[in-house]
Amino acid sequence: MSPTFEDYGYTVADVQSIMSTDLHPTILLAFCQGIHTCIFFVALHYIIESTQPMRKRTTLASIITFLWFANTAILGLEWKGVNQLFIAHGTSLETEFNLYLTGDMPKLITTDVLRCLSVFVADLILFWRCWVLYGGNLKVLAIPGVCVITETISACMLIASTVATFTSTSPSQMNWILVYYLMTVATNSLCTVLILFRIVRVSGLGASLKTYRGIIEILVESAAMYAIIYIALLIVYAYQFYGVARVVTAYSYPMAISYSITGIAPTLIIARVMAGQSRPNDSWTRPSLPHMGSNVLSSTESLQFASAPNHSIQTTSTNTGHVTANIDLEAQAPEVAEEKHEQDGRSR
């Protein structure tokens, strides 16, 4: 006879709360995936209409297509699990709980593989934007590069520990999920901070926040929502791991959102680049123009204007930046004398 949930010290309310962690987050994931699908097709339209080289367009289209396919597959697996839990084995709370404890090894392993691949591709997009914004400065990109490598290693260990949970009699005691989240947060947070710093450095904080375009540039280019959702996911999971009451079921909700945000954030970046809304690549490393003032003209610069038939004007700059003008008054002398003579005749 299989053990009941009372044997584990759970009440009916506890089991119902645990079961809801499969149903409600799946509905939330379906909603987020609908948003991701809309953004995906808009980005695909911009890529098709872009005048960029075919190789670049094909690469970027392949990336966003993989991210969308991975999240759609995860949604399909989650819906399959909900169907098995609440319909195929939903005859009683006991059968639902027993299936929940048993787990579905192919579903869990496939979900972990797709999630880790999606996060890896999204972090590569962030690393690529850092590369563009900093002009390939290896000193700046060294730490994010190390974080990406470490995150990849922890993802492999996470998948291996998931497999060992179902196949090994002595699975690993190391919590690789927590390690993986830590490295993911370190990678995308660092890239986000570097991108934010570069945007503010180039355009200025005041100019970036005064217009909607500047705010959108900050939010999209830096993938801020991508970093924020994984920070929230790490915090909630850490609370769950250390056994804090009333937070156990909350972990599934940021997890469901993180699936779609992992695909939405890089897709928005690529759509912005392909639509021509981002800055040119060379503008990030181009020195900013000096402030306009009285000394804009150097001592070697001069301005010359076209001469009129009867007079000429030439302006030159001095060492102090002030402009002096030389006007040919001799050409105007006969006209002035003639006008004075006519005025004297009228007065008489």
Side-chain angles (χ1 to χ4, degrees):
M1 181 178 178
S2 59
T4 63
F5 57 83
E6 287 89 353
D7 297 335
Y8 292 95
Y10 291 115
T11 63
V12 174
D14 293 333
V15 175
Q16 291 176 344
S17 177
I18 294 174
M19 294 298 103
S20 68
T21 60
D22 270 10
L23 177 61
H24 297 162
T26 303
I27 298 174
L28 179 60
L29 175 59
F31 174 77
C32 295
Q33 187 59 20
I35 299 176
H36 183 193
T37 301
C38 295
I39 296 174
F40 164 71
F41 282 109
V42 171
L44 201 60
H45 167 74
Y46 282 131
I47 292 175
I48 294 173
E49 297 294 328
S50 175
T51 58
Q52 297 285 340
M54 179 59 69
R55 183 177 180 180
K56 181 178 181 180
R57 287 189 292 162
T58 303
T59 302
L60 295 179
S62 301
I63 289 173
I64 65 172
T65 301
F66 168 77
L67 291 173
W68 177 82
F69 174 79
N71 289 335
T72 304
I74 291 174
L75 175 61
L77 291 172
E78 293 296 331
W79 271 116
K80 179 184 177 182
V82 169
N83 178 73
Q84 291 290 326
L85 186 62
F86 293 99
I87 298 178
H89 296 80
T91 55
S92 66
L93 199 61
E94 294 286 349
T95 57
E96 292 178 2
F97 183 73
N98 290 332
L99 180 64
Y100 180 84
L101 291 180
T102 305
D104 188 352
M105 183 179 71
K107 172 202 166 187
L108 292 176
I109 295 176
T110 306
T111 301
D112 283 347
V113 171
L114 292 175
R115 177 181 59 177
C116 293
L117 288 176
S118 298
V119 171
F120 176 73
V121 172
D123 288 343
L124 285 183
I125 295 296
L126 281 182
F127 187 81
W128 165 63
R129 291 309 293 168
C130 288
W131 178 277
V132 172
L133 268 60
Y134 284 89
N137 190 339
L138 295 179
K139 294 181 180 179
V140 178
L141 301 174
I143 298 179
V146 172
C147 289
V148 171
I149 296 173
T150 309
E151 178 190 19
T152 305
I153 296 174
S154 62
C156 295
M157 298 303 299
L158 169 63
I159 296 172
S161 65
T162 303
V163 175
T165 302
F166 292 95
T167 59
S168 178
T169 56
S170 58
S172 174
Q173 300 299 319
M174 183 71 177
N175 191 343
W176 286 105
I177 298 178
L178 185 61
V179 175
Y180 177 69
Y181 286 159
L182 284 171
M183 297 314 305
T184 301
V185 168
T187 302
N188 54 43
S189 298
L190 182 58
C191 290
T192 298
V193 170
L194 289 175
I195 294 173
L196 282 173
F197 176 78
R198 195 60 176 176
I199 293 174
V200 173
R201 182 71 179 273
V202 172
S203 59
L205 181 61
S208 299
L209 298 178
K210 284 182 179 178
T211 62
Y212 289 113
R213 182 185 180 89
I215 295 174
I216 291 174
E217 181 182 31
I218 288 177
L219 293 177
V220 175
E221 288 280 355
S222 65
M225 58 182 177
Y226 177 52
I228 291 172
I229 190 61
Y230 270 95
I231 291 174
L233 184 62
L234 173 63
I235 294 173
V236 175
Y237 181 81
Y239 273 110
Q240 174 179 331
F241 178 71
Y242 288 106
V244 178
R246 302 183 184 277
V247 191
V248 175
T249 59
Y251 162 71
S252 299
Y253 294 93
M255 168 65 79
I257 299 174
S258 68
Y259 287 138
S260 294
I261 293 296
T262 302
I264 289 174
T267 303
L268 283 175
I269 293 176
I270 293 175
R272 181 177 171 83
V273 172
M274 290 292 101
Q277 298 297 321
S278 62
R279 300 171 184 265
N281 292 347
D282 58 347
S283 66
W284 296 106
T285 55
R286 186 185 305 159
S288 58
L289 295 175
H291 297 287
M292 299 298 292
S294 61
N295 295 328
V296 173
L297 296 176
S298 64
S299 60
T300 59
E301 293 175 334
S302 64
L303 297 177
Q304 291 188 350
F305 300 92
S307 308
N310 295 326
H311 63 278
S312 63
I313 300 176
Q314 182 178 3
T315 60
T316 58
S317 61
T318 61
N319 291 333
T320 59
H322 298 288
V323 178
T324 60
N326 297 324
I327 304 176
D328 189 0
L329 298 178
E330 294 180 0
Q332 298 180 358
E335 297 178 0
V336 174
E338 183 178 355
E339 291 178 0
K340 186 176 181 181
H341 181 68
E342 291 179 358
Q343 292 176 359
D344 292 338
R346 293 174 183 175
S347 62
R348 291 177 183 177

